[in-house]
Amino acid sequence: MSETASCARSAPLKLSQLQNFCKRDPAGYKDDYDAQSRRLTSLVGILLLSPNADPSPSLVELIQFMAAVSSSSYKGEESDRVAALLMELLVGTSNSASSSSSATSAATESAATIPLLQSTLPLAALQLHRDIRKACVSALILMRNKGAVPPLRLLQSFFQLMAVVPDKNLRESLYHHIVNDIRNINKNGKKDEKLNRTIQSFFHRIVAASANESTAGAEDSPTDYAAKRAVQMICDLYRRNVWNDERSVHILATAAASPNASVASRALRFFLNIEEAMALDKQNSETNEWEGIDNINLHLHSKKTKGKQRLIEKQIRNRKKKQNAREHGIIANREDKGVEASKKLFPAIELLHDPQGLVETILKRVKSSGSNTYKFEVKMLMLNFVTRVVGNHELILLPLYPLLQRYMGGHQRDVTAILAYSVQSCHQYVPPEEIYGILKTIAHNFITERCSEEQMAVGINAVRSICARVPSVLSTEEDETDGDGREISSSWDVEAFTRDLAGYAKHKDRSISIAGRGWVNFIREVHPSLLQGKDRGLVGAGLHKAGERPLRYGEVRAALGVEGADLLVAYEASKKRKEKGGKKNSDGSDSEGDDDSESGWVEMNDGEEGGDDESESGWVEMKDEEDESDEEAPDLVLLGDDEEGKEEEDVDGEKGDTVDYSKLSKKERAKMQQEVSSTRIFTASEFAKMHKLVARQQQARRDPRLAAKLKRAIAKGEEFDDISDSDSDDSDDEDIHIKGAVNTTDIMADAKRKRMSKAEKLEKIIEGRVKFENKERAGGSTNTEKKRKKNFAMSKFSFDARKKIGEKTTAKMGRKQERSKLDGGGRDAKKRRRKF
């Protein structure tokens, strides 16, 4: 025995002192530790005989002592024995026996060795005093944090306690321990896949057992409560990017199909809101990180030392480095807005294994449940999830659309949300016959004169959104025509329906007129032939002349190559010609007119205004006599022996591309696009350039003015001058738009959208008040603030106050008389002469 131990034996030791000595000299104080261990065993045995009795005051301290010492100084068999004793005290003898049998083989545990969750506990465990139960849980958590107990050994016991014990604080501590323990297992990018699969299998068995045992509308059982906790844990771990794999999504999909409303609603809310929550978390973390780096204490009012100066310089370098990284990240992700940005947020709906079977199960439960089975909010949640999955995965679920029509009453509760769900469920593969019923129901219940203005505006916006997702409902059969040669539909009169809604663009109510103009603008771009000539406008007239119409159901336009590849080749050829022309002009050998004449291109003109200027540049525009509009590009004629667009020899002896891309037909452009796409590998910057060129071409197709401007630019050889070489997008849309999600504010009336609630008004008022009271600048108050706070008795005779109040009436009259005398005597000069 060591000298420290012999000295300590002379006086009785407290447990805190003995804990310190055991850590310093485990072998020397092994006998004292064994004595305390035997004491704990006897006290636990006495407590199990009478759990209702008040526990010994020293038992809580003894439990903490044994857990701390056994997990640090005597780790191994002794720590396993203490953990088994505490589990026996918590959950009973039968449950702890199965856990202790698998303690030595914790590294090789699998899902098959974990028993099913027992929904009951022995009477002694249920009647245990709350202080003793809390001390045992704290001791087991301490041993787990020190690595003395494997995680799977505690998992089942803690879930049993959460499911049965009515202590709320204890349940919260157990929940946070399990979540933090799983996070610590997978921290720093090191994930234990084998352990994760085992824990996920245990969670899945709990959720599946709850789904099999529970019935719709029944009270929650302990298994249902454990399933709710398991679902909540998985949602939390998924949001923290710990478990964002397919296995976690499969567990949540099983929970979404559960008959228990509480379990199902938690899983459904996760699927519907996880992208926005993760985007908000990411934004907040980046903002907090940047604010912490941006705030640098420059020590402007403190003593300057070399150490402080080095620290300031280091912080400034770190801030500059982070700022550059932040700017590069913003530029790299500038084009990934909207739906593209939401794809990087681990969308859970996209990871569903069997979305068709899941939505069919949930839809069947909604249709077969009575009015008292589920609350209306839960049914709305189910419909929201079903329509979102149908829209994201483009599923065919025909029984869904008649069900939605049942809820489309004018006085239905949350009818705006029902209309938003109807828009979510529409995609290009839905048969138009199913959409016709929804459009007719909306038209009969909302777009009538008996409805209010807000209902009519919401109905028109909903119809526009549905037709935008399923444009095939606006297409007509080409084989059936009426007497005037107009195309008609076999199911309903699309043209009459379209023109009827277009008439609301001139309604007296503002919200209805805005919705009607939105409908007219939509039809102008999709199918302008359905509108009357006076309603087509400039854009609609141009698209009508171009033959714009939506694709019929099942019709697909096959792509022959990368869209915009031909425009990219034309852009590069134009840029190359300009570079060569600039080099020649800088050498002084050629002029701009000589370059044009040598390249073999001349723009033919018929002698109108500006012909002298255009002839000097070497271009002559040829205008067709039959075409009086400026919507077509000018014809360019190649002068010389080679008129078929072959390659010629340049001045430098190199071959240059002299193909006129503006003169090529659609077939030639498609052939060139296919050839370029199959023989070239495009970079990211080239894809961005093609995106710009295609967007400009589509905009010119819609706007005749822009088409005429582009034609004049082609004639001058400046077709691509307005295209910058930078790949950045000028879009300022920073919002995250989740794919397939439709917000109710998107289809609400415009006047309703601008109206704020009382809470929003109060929040805005408080925000302005705080901004006014808290100065945003350094230093004292300004002269204006001092003048505003100055006592009135001191400032009422000031020049500003007298100027504001004005002079007295008598003073005004006196000054007026003096002015009149100076002008020439006042009224005496205006006396009439008497006649004699």
Side-chain angles (χ1 to χ4, degrees):
M1 185 178 298
S2 62
E3 295 180 0
T4 306
S6 61
C7 295
R9 291 302 180 92
S10 60
L13 296 175
K14 295 182 179 180
L15 289 179
S16 59
Q17 294 175 338
L18 182 59
Q19 179 179 350
N20 185 23
F21 289 145
C22 289
K23 289 181 180 180
R24 293 166 59 184
D25 189 6
Y29 289 89
K30 185 67 169 60
D31 295 338
D32 295 334
Y33 171 79
D34 292 338
Q36 298 296 332
S37 178
R38 290 191 298 269
R39 180 187 169 203
L40 177 63
T41 304
S42 62
L43 290 177
V44 168
I46 295 172
L47 186 62
L48 290 176
L49 294 176
S50 58
N52 293 329
D54 293 336
S56 175
S58 60
L59 182 57
V60 175
E61 186 180 1
L62 184 58
I63 290 174
Q64 295 292 339
F65 166 77
M66 293 298 297
V69 175
S70 63
S71 59
S72 60
S73 302
Y74 307 103
K75 186 182 294 186
E77 295 182 359
E78 188 63 29
S79 61
D80 294 340
R81 189 182 64 81
V82 173
L85 182 63
L86 297 178
M87 287 185 186
E88 180 182 356
L89 185 60
L90 280 175
V91 298
T93 307
S94 59
N95 297 315
S96 62
S98 60
S99 299
S100 60
S101 62
S102 60
T104 57
S105 59
T108 59
E109 279 182 331
S110 60
T113 61
I114 300 179
L116 287 174
L117 183 67
Q118 297 184 6
S119 59
T120 59
L121 290 178
L123 184 62
L126 290 175
Q127 296 179 352
L128 193 64
H129 195 272
R130 56 183 304 176
D131 295 337
I132 301 299
R133 187 183 290 116
K134 182 179 180 181
C136 292
V137 169
S138 301
L140 289 174
I141 291 175
L142 176 63
M143 297 178 70
R144 169 68 195 112
N145 292 336
K146 291 185 177 182
V149 181
L152 297 179
R153 187 178 176 185
L154 295 179
L155 190 61
Q156 184 194 7
S157 301
F158 283 176
F159 258 94
Q160 282 184 284
L161 290 175
M162 283 193 299
V164 178
V165 176
D167 191 352
K168 184 177 180 181
N169 295 329
L170 181 64
R171 293 199 303 262
E172 292 297 327
S173 62
L174 291 175
Y175 172 81
H176 290 299
H177 164 69
I178 294 176
V179 172
N180 293 330
D181 191 18
I182 296 175
R183 289 180 60 192
N184 293 332
I185 292 173
N186 300 275
K187 67 179 180 179
N188 298 329
K190 298 178 181 179
K191 295 187 177 183
D192 191 349
E193 292 295 337
K194 184 176 180 180
L195 185 59
N196 287 336
R197 284 196 299 268
T198 307
I199 299 176
Q200 288 172 343
S201 299
F202 177 68
F203 285 166
H204 185 263
R205 295 177 71 184
I206 294 175
V207 174
S210 173
N212 295 330
E213 295 176 3
S214 61
T215 57
E219 296 182 357
D220 293 346
S221 63
T223 307
D224 295 335
Y225 187 82
K228 286 191 292 185
R229 281 296 186 176
V231 170
Q232 188 175 358
M233 289 179 186
I234 296 174
C235 295
D236 195 1
L237 292 171
Y238 192 101
R239 183 173 179 175
R240 297 174 186 269
N241 287 329
V242 179
W243 283 355
N244 47 19
D245 53 356
E246 293 83 358
R247 292 191 298 269
S248 302
V249 175
H250 182 64
I251 297 172
L252 294 172
T254 306
S258 175
N260 187 276
S262 301
V263 177
S265 59
R266 294 195 182 200
L268 294 176
R269 288 191 181 94
F270 164 79
F271 281 111
L272 296 173
N273 303 321
I274 184 60
E275 288 89 353
E276 296 178 358
M278 295 180 71
L280 183 61
D281 292 344
K282 183 179 179 182
Q283 183 179 0
N284 292 337
S285 63
E286 292 178 353
T287 304
N288 295 334
E289 181 182 2
W290 172 250
E291 288 179 355
I293 297 174
D294 190 34
N295 296 330
I296 299 177
N297 186 10
L298 299 177
H299 297 282
L300 299 177
H301 306 285
S302 59
K303 185 178 179 180
K304 307 298 186 297
T305 60
K306 292 183 179 180
K308 291 181 180 179
Q309 188 65 26
R310 286 194 300 267
L311 181 61
I312 292 173
E313 293 176 357
K314 182 179 179 181
Q315 291 178 351
I316 292 175
R317 289 195 302 268
N318 190 18
R319 181 178 64 179
K320 187 175 182 180
K321 182 179 178 182
K322 292 292 184 181
Q323 184 176 2
N324 293 335
R326 187 185 183 195
E327 291 176 355
H328 287 310
I330 292 174
I331 294 174
N333 299 327
R334 186 171 292 175
E335 295 182 358
D336 296 334
K337 298 300 177 186
V339 176
E340 297 298 328
S342 66
K343 293 180 181 178
K344 297 182 179 181
L345 300 175
F346 303 101
I349 290 182
E350 301 292 337
L351 299 178
L352 289 173
H353 178 64
D354 185 16
Q356 183 73 36
L358 180 61
V359 296
E360 287 179 356
T361 302
I362 297 178
L363 183 64
K364 183 179 179 181
R365 184 167 289 120
V366 173
K367 293 177 65 176
S368 60
S369 61
S371 58
N372 297 327
T373 304
Y374 294 112
K375 294 182 180 180
F376 180 75
E377 292 80 4
V378 179
K379 287 187 177 181
M380 294 288 289
L381 201 61
M382 292 180 177
L383 287 177
N384 190 5
F385 174 73
V386 170
T387 53
R388 177 82 71 82
V389 174
V390 168
N392 274 41
H393 292 271
E394 296 182 345
L395 306 176
I396 302 297
L397 193 64
L398 300 183
L400 173 62
Y401 304 100
L403 178 64
L404 292 174
Q405 296 181 34
R406 289 166 45 188
Y407 292 93
M408 288 184 184
H411 301 282
Q412 173 66 40
R413 176 184 173 186
D414 293 339
V415 68
T416 309
I418 295 294
L419 294 175
Y421 301 158
S422 303
V423 176
Q424 281 183 169
S425 62
C426 296
H427 53 86
Q428 58 179 342
Y429 299 112
V430 179
E433 290 77 12
E434 301 294 334
I435 307 299
Y436 291 153
I438 292 181
L439 295 180
K440 290 179 181 179
T441 304
I442 295 176
H444 293 163
N445 296 337
F446 294 92
I447 315 176
T448 55
E449 296 297 335
R450 67 176 182 273
C451 299
S452 63
E453 290 80 3
E454 183 180 349
Q455 287 179 333
M456 295 176 66
V458 169
I460 296 174
N461 291 332
V463 170
R464 175 176 54 82
S465 301
I466 291 175
C467 294
R469 290 189 170 227
V470 193
S472 59
V473 298
L474 299 175
S475 62
T476 55
E477 297 295 336
E478 296 180 354
D479 298 334
E480 298 181 9
T481 56
D482 57 2
D484 298 334
R486 296 179 302 176
E487 300 170 359
I488 61 174
S489 175
S490 59
S491 299
W492 68 329
D493 194 350
V494 180
E495 185 176 349
F497 178 76
T498 303
R499 295 184 178 182
D500 187 16
L501 294 186
Y504 288 101
K506 300 180 180 179
H507 198 273
K508 60 181 181 180
D509 185 73
R510 180 175 177 270
S511 59
I512 298 177
S513 63
I514 290 175
R517 287 197 295 269
W519 168 259
V520 171
N521 293 333
F522 165 71
I523 297 298
R524 284 175 180 174
E525 295 193 0
V526 177
H527 201 346
S529 302
L530 297 177
L531 294 173
Q532 296 181 358
K534 61 179 182 180
D535 295 331
R536 289 171 187 165
L538 192 64
V539 177
L543 292 176
H544 172 66
K545 188 173 183 180
E548 180 70 20
R549 63 178 57 211
L551 297 176
R552 291 178 296 173
Y553 180 68
E555 184 180 359
V556 179
R557 291 175 182 171
L560 299 177
V562 180
E563 188 178 11
D566 52 341
L567 299 175
L568 180 65
V569 173
Y571 169 76
E572 292 176 347
S574 175
K575 187 176 180 182
K576 188 175 180 181
R577 285 197 301 268
K578 286 197 173 185
E579 290 178 356
K580 290 183 178 180
K583 289 181 180 179
K584 293 176 183 178
N585 293 333
S586 62
D587 295 339
S589 58
D590 295 325
S591 61
E592 185 178 357
D594 298 334
D595 184 272
D596 293 334
S597 62
E598 288 178 6
S599 63
W601 292 95
V602 176
E603 181 180 359
M604 304 299 297
N605 194 0
D606 55 2
E608 293 181 0
E609 294 181 0
D612 298 334
D613 297 334
E614 292 176 353
S615 61
E616 292 177 1
S617 62
W619 292 89
V620 181
E621 178 180 354
M622 292 197 62
K623 293 189 176 180
D624 194 357
E625 298 178 355
E626 298 178 358
D627 188 8
E628 298 179 359
S629 65
D630 293 339
E631 296 182 4
E632 296 182 359
D635 297 330
L636 301 179
V637 181
L638 177 64
L639 300 180
D641 299 333
D642 192 0
E643 297 181 357
E644 296 180 359
K646 297 182 181 179
E647 296 179 346
E648 294 182 349
E649 294 291 335
D650 289 343
V651 179
D652 299 336
E654 299 178 356
K655 289 187 177 181
D657 190 6
T658 59
V659 179
D660 183 13
Y661 298 99
S662 63
K663 192 178 178 182
L664 296 178
S665 62
K666 291 184 178 180
K667 292 184 178 180
E668 293 174 345
R669 276 188 173 273
K671 184 178 179 181
M672 184 177 63
Q673 178 180 347
Q674 183 178 8
E675 182 181 355
V676 173
S677 302
S678 59
T679 57
R680 182 173 175 178
I681 299 177
F682 298 104
T683 61
S685 60
E686 291 174 346
F687 275 110
K689 190 71 65 180
M690 286 188 289
H691 179 72
K692 282 187 177 182
L693 294 171
V694 171
R696 190 186 67 159
Q697 187 184 36
Q698 292 177 354
Q699 188 177 2
R701 191 165 177 261
R702 291 179 172 86
D703 191 357
R705 292 192 182 96
L706 182 59
K709 181 180 178 181
L710 186 61
K711 186 188 74 170
R712 291 190 295 268
I714 293 174
K716 296 179 181 179
E718 301 173 354
E719 179 183 2
F720 301 104
D721 287 357
D722 58 338
I723 302 296
S724 61
D725 294 333
S726 61
D727 301 331
S728 61
D729 193 1
D730 296 334
S731 178
D732 295 333
D733 188 10
E734 298 287 341
D735 297 332
I736 298 294
H737 305 292
I738 308 303
K739 178 183 177 183
V742 177
N743 197 354
T744 54
T745 57
D746 297 337
I747 61 175
M748 289 176 62
D750 185 74
K752 180 72 175 177
R753 228 177 296 169
K754 292 183 178 180
R755 194 179 307 153
M756 292 191 301
S757 62
K758 185 176 181 180
E760 293 175 347
K761 290 180 180 178
L762 183 61
E763 183 180 359
K764 188 175 181 180
I765 292 171
I766 293 175
E767 182 181 358
R769 188 179 301 165
V770 170
K771 184 177 180 181
F772 176 76
E773 292 177 353
N774 299 332
K775 297 184 298 183
E776 297 181 355
R777 60 175 183 80
S781 59
T782 61
N783 292 336
T784 305
E785 294 174 352
K786 292 176 180 177
K787 189 184 298 183
R788 185 173 64 248
K789 295 179 181 180
K790 195 172 183 180
N791 190 7
F792 178 71
M794 300 174 62
S795 60
K796 66 178 181 178
F797 294 111
S798 63
F799 176 76
D800 293 337
R802 292 199 307 266
K803 184 179 180 182
K804 185 182 297 185
I805 296 173
E807 298 174 337
K808 293 183 179 180
T809 307
T810 55
K812 287 183 179 180
M813 293 298 296
R815 295 185 64 178
K816 187 176 181 181
Q817 291 177 2
E818 291 179 0
R819 259 196 319 268
S820 63
K821 291 180 180 179
L822 295 175
D823 292 339
R827 297 182 57 87
D828 295 340
K830 297 182 180 181
K831 273 187 178 180
R832 294 189 302 170
R833 294 182 180 180
R834 298 178 64 182
K835 295 182 180 180
F836 296 98

